[in-house]
Amino acid sequence: MLISPLFPQRFGAGFRGTFAAIVIGLAALAGPAPQASAETLLNVSYDPTREFYRDYNAWFSDWWVKQGNPAPQIETSHGGSGAQARAVIDGLAAQVVTLALASDIDQIANKTTLLPKDWQSRLPHNSAPYTSTIVFLVREGNPKGIKDWGDLLKDDVQVITPNPKTSGGARWNYLAAWGYAQTNGLDPKQFVADLYKHVPVLDTGARGSTTTFAQRGIGDVLLAWENEAYLAVNELGEDKFDIVVPSVSVLAEPPVALVDGNLTDANRPLATAYLEQLYSPEAQALAFKHYFRAWDTSAADPADVARFPEVKRLSIADFGGWAKVQPEHFGDGGIFDQIYQAQ
Amino acid sequence: MTLRPFALRSPTPMPGWGLSFGVMMTTLSVIVLVPMAALLWRGFIGFGPAEMWEVVNRPRVWSALALSFRAALIASVFNLVFGVALAWVLVRYRFPGKRIIDAAVDLPFALPTAVAGIALTAIYAPNGFFGAALDQAFGLKVAYTELGIWIALVFVGLPFVVRTVQPVIEEIDRETEEASATLGATRLRTLTHVVLPTLTPAALTGFALALARSVGEYGSVIFIAGNLPNVTEIAPLLIVIRLEEFDYDGAVAIAIAMLSISFTMLLVINLIQIMSRRRMGAV
């Protein structure tokens, strides 16, 4: 007997019982929502913080218990920053968000009433307990002689970077190139358009690009988060890749925020302390250990701090802030779309 | 076309018609109909047909839609031919390791598509096993080109054809083939006039399922496609991009465009199926 996907072979209707079954089925769906208990905390984060938050959660649990509290149960969820923000907008009950871009948390503030619009001023350093920057990862010995952004436009150079439409990190890559062109008196739009002509693969996320570059052997240079670049070097072999720091890069500030709408009186102290302690010397030392450029070096291993070379870093304010940059460059029909329409 | 009479009474003497119909309607509503209706509602009522057309009617969206449907069609035609051949071999011949191969056909069902995508990319990338060989021998690039997308979709769709055709081959009466041969038909004529016509409806069903599955495939394709706009950017990726921009309406518009094209294609396949079944008599 064949089953046709569209046309049922037989159709009749005996509606006795039908309605009851539908009602029962729907009633089963509308069960009570699970209640958050005092000792649990859900931190919704983005991809490259996986290793850092594993260490920080362990450290923070100890610290919280030492303050005379019961042991908390902290869970961290990782994924693409935009997708994580959407999950919170759509109702994922995160008490704390630690995302890649302020614009993603802005979207939560704009589309819901979960947190106030001025969330970014509630914690020091624009709510960014740690920062990062964009560097180049090149093949061992730097065979193409890549020193700075201008070298990426050489004829035989292939550049790997993810799609700025789907990856937060890729937006920083794009902005860093834009900033370099501006700093050096070049036409930034033309420079960035030329740069993307050298990109053979646009992965959807930063980890995907790292895989394409490191495992698949595609491209001569990977534009990467500094912590991703160090991770690639450590995991995949120091004899395979070199890190090149360009003359101009960006000050990426991955922000953190309390999601007030998902807090109860019982878990507010825990969530507040969780974010505040990110600025403690011990947590800052952990951030340095995981290749983030944090602020407070007092407890950090000097070797962890010393491995970051000085670089001129442009902050998002230098580009006009996310509220302006996001629609102008990465919105529908924005400059990034125009680059590909022109080709 | 003859329509069956529309009966409001139970068509069988078995009890439970109302209950089973209710369970069917509930499941279908909760899982399929309500989400689909919500999608259409959001698109046509919430967003508006003119606005949706404006989102869809752009070169980049058209090229992504064309790529998605072209690649799915090519992969499904490939699966149609090789899936039927594979099913034939599995049913008609005995050979060592047959059960293992039979089980392996289902692997694309079981494997997370992202894993399949990564595995295929690893093999077909320029530094991978097949990728390097093909590149050296023919200068052929597979991963990060449209060819890579085809391969991912062939992988994803293969079991649909094999598993729908296999039971039909098992039920084919060998005696009809023998009769055809004793009546003087050549092997080719037996194949084209006796064997294939009985397989056509099942093969078309498998083809339609494989096609439907590959059109929407995202997980495995994004790893092996280069995702370059206008070149290797599939329509589902455009939807994801819209979601990343928090542009739910744009995502819905492209989704509805895909849905309507898929629906039309499946409709045509179904009509072909009905026609072939009628030509065959009551199969």
Side-chain angles (χ1 to χ4, degrees), chain B residues 31 42 59 68 71 80 89 96 99-100 107 119 124 129 139 156 190 220-221 256 258 265 272:
Chain B
I31 312 262
R42 172 138 201 174
S68 274
L80 180 65
V89 171
R99 276 175 189 282
I100 293 172
L107 277 182
Y124 285 102
F129 184 69
V156 165
T190 307
S220 61
V221 175
I256 289 179
M258 288 191 76
M265 278 192 338
I272 297 174

Side-chain angles (χ1 to χ4, degrees), chain A residues 181-198:
Chain A
Q182 265 182 341
T183 315
N184 291 280
L186 303 166
D187 174 11
K189 189 172 172 184
Q190 191 56 45
F191 185 83
V192 170
D194 288 342
L195 176 65
Y196 278 91
K197 285 188 188 130
H198 290 259

